[in-house]
Amino acid sequence: MKDCIFCKIINGEIPSFKVYEDNRVFAFMDINPISPGHTLIIPKNHAANLMEISNEDLAAVHKASKKVMAGIVATLQPSGVACLQLNGAGANQVVFHYHLHLIPRIPGEPDLPVSGWEIKPGDMGEIKATAEKISGALNNG
Ligand code: AMP
Ligand code: ZN
C-alpha cells in the first residue's frame, strides 16, 4: 500500500535488518528496541490490524513467530519473550500495517508496563454482562 512504511520495508524502498522471510511473512528488527532482539513480524499483504488480516496471513505470521522466537531464545537466552500486537490508535498502534512484536525480556529489567498491571478482582456481574454482550455478537450459541 502506498505511503505505508512497512510495505516500503517489504519492497526494499526503506532499509531494514531482516531476520526472516517466506512467501507470506517478513520479520525485521525494531529500530526503537524496548530490549535487544526486539523484532517485528508482518504479513507481506497489507492489512491494518487484526480485523483486516486474512486468516491465512494471520496463521503464517504466528507460525513464523515460533521460528523467530526460537532464534531469539537460542541466541539471546532471554528470561522470557513478550508477544505484543496493538490495534487502533487508542491501543497505541502507531504503524497501521499488522505487526506482532517479539520483545525479549532480560532478567532484572522492570516489567513492561503492559504486562505489569495490578491484579484487582473485577465486578463479577459486570464481567458476566460484558461476556454475554460479546458472545451474543459472535452468534456462537
Ligand atoms: P506499534 O505501536 O505497535 O504500531 O509499533 C510500531 C513499531 O514500529 C515501533 O516499535 C517502532 O519502533 C517500529 N518502527 C517504526 N518504523 C520502523 C522502521 N523503519 N524500522 C523498524 N521498526 C520501525
Ligand atoms: Zn502496509
Side-chain angles (χ1 to χ4, degrees):
M1 187 202 224
K2 199 174 162 293
D3 297 335
C4 170
I5 189 169
F6 285 178
C7 284
K8 286 183 178 169
I9 285 177
I10 294 163
N11 297 336
E13 289 170 60
I14 292 179
S16 68
F17 299 105
K18 180 175 90 171
V19 294
Y20 175 81
E21 182 176 13
D22 63 32
N23 59 336
R24 285 186 182 271
V25 176
F26 194 89
F28 58 104
M29 306 311 291
D30 195 305
I31 53 168
N32 305 297
I34 297 176
S35 59
H38 184 169
T39 306
L40 301 174
I41 323 236
I42 64 177
K44 287 186 172 175
N45 294 318
H46 180 88
N49 55 39
L50 185 58
M51 301 280 280
E52 279 190 14
I53 190 171
S54 71
N55 289 343
E56 293 77 15
D57 284 342
L58 185 64
V61 164
H62 285 261
K63 278 185 188 166
S65 75
K66 282 186 78 167
K67 285 190 187 164
V68 175
M69 182 164 159
I72 289 173
V73 167
T75 51
L76 304 179
Q77 285 104 36
S79 55
V81 178
C83 298
L84 178 68
Q85 194 272 313
L86 305 172
N87 297 279
N92 291 335
Q93 184 179 9
V94 173
V95 177
F96 291 89
H97 180 129
Y98 184 96
H99 52 281
L100 179 66
H101 295 258
L102 293 188
I103 306 169
R105 305 304 298 140
I106 295 165
E109 280 209 345
D111 284 348
L112 292 175
V114 74
S115 68
W117 64 79
E118 191 190 346
I119 299 292
K120 278 192 296 191
D123 178 312
M124 294 306 142
E126 201 177 309
I127 293 171
K128 180 172 184 283
T130 306
E132 284 167 1
K133 262 195 226 169
I134 296 171
S135 66
L138 301 182
N139 297 319
N140 64 358

